[in-house]
Amino acid sequence: MPNRPRFTQLEIVAMRDASFIGHTAWDRNPRLKTLKSKIKNFGKVKTGNQCCYCMSNIYGEFPMVLDIEHILPKSVFPKYMFTGKNLAISCKRCNMEIKKADVSFLAFPLVATHRRVFRSRYYSFIHPNLDTYESHLHRNVVQSGRKVMVSYKIVNGSAKGAYTYSYFKLKNLELNSFDAAQGMKGRAEIKNSEVASRFNALISAMST
């Protein structure tokens, strides 16, 4: 686990001021810039430079194309705008195109849970900070040059894995360019023996 970011007194004051104003201060307060940078760096290390939802590689991505994700949307739950357990790093596809300010992923109405909102059972999808992603869903990638295979496998029939796969439309991210486009017949031969072995192992694992 990476060390949590340490905030300066000025950053702490900026957080307090923003919390008083509400969620609109997140984008409007320039004093939050350094704080956001620390949160992004921490989040990238914590997820191994992967999107917290789809696990796509974000290593080397320009910071502006990555989002600090408020799992409980800050517009709906401004109280948790700066709560560590409510923050993660995601790609813009998962955050801005799919999840946005939606709360349909909540398994229970959180208004009834008071302060105890950070419990895994309250979330239908894999919570970036409360769950272990690999216990519910695996993202498998094999690449050789321009040939790529990306697939997801739900682990042991996990309900959270299945919900995450559906909610974030992960099927749309699956790809197998090892398949030949030769009239859609047959499978292209993978000449690299190491890649072929890894590919076949993944296919075997997905079929069990």
Side-chain angles (χ1 to χ4, degrees), residues 51-55 69 71 90 94 99 125-126 128 133 164 168:
C51 169
C52 67
Y53 293 129
C54 69
M55 290 289 113
E69 157 65 351
I71 298 147
S90 72
C94 288
K99 183 172 171 288
F125 60 40
I126 304 170
Y133 197 95
T164 301
F168 288 102

Side-chain angles (χ1 to χ4, degrees), residues 43-72:
K44 286 192 293 183
V45 173
K46 186 176 180 180
T47 63
N49 285 289
Q50 297 171 326
C51 169
C52 67
Y53 293 129
C54 69
M55 290 289 113
S56 294
N57 179 37
I58 59 174
Y59 182 78
E61 289 283 6
F62 189 67
M64 291 298 292
V65 306
L66 304 177
D67 285 341
I68 296 175
E69 157 65 351
H70 293 81
I71 298 147
L72 293 176

Side-chain angles (χ1 to χ4, degrees), residues 4-5 7 10-29 31-37 39 68-74 77-88 118 129:
R4 292 186 178 278
F7 302 116
L10 288 176
E11 290 168 338
I12 293 173
V13 171
M15 280 191 280
R16 290 173 180 169
D17 290 346
S19 295
F20 178 78
I21 295 171
H23 74 278
T24 57
W26 178 267
D27 295 318
R28 296 179 181 179
N29 191 337
R31 292 187 297 161
L32 297 177
K33 183 177 181 180
T34 58
L35 176 147
K36 290 179 181 179
S37 179
I39 293 174
I68 296 175
E69 157 65 351
H70 293 81
I71 298 147
L72 293 176
K74 60 183 181 294
F77 297 92
K79 178 179 179 180
Y80 306 111
M81 184 162 55
F82 297 104
T83 302
K85 288 183 179 180
N86 195 44
L87 301 175
F118 298 109
N129 298 315

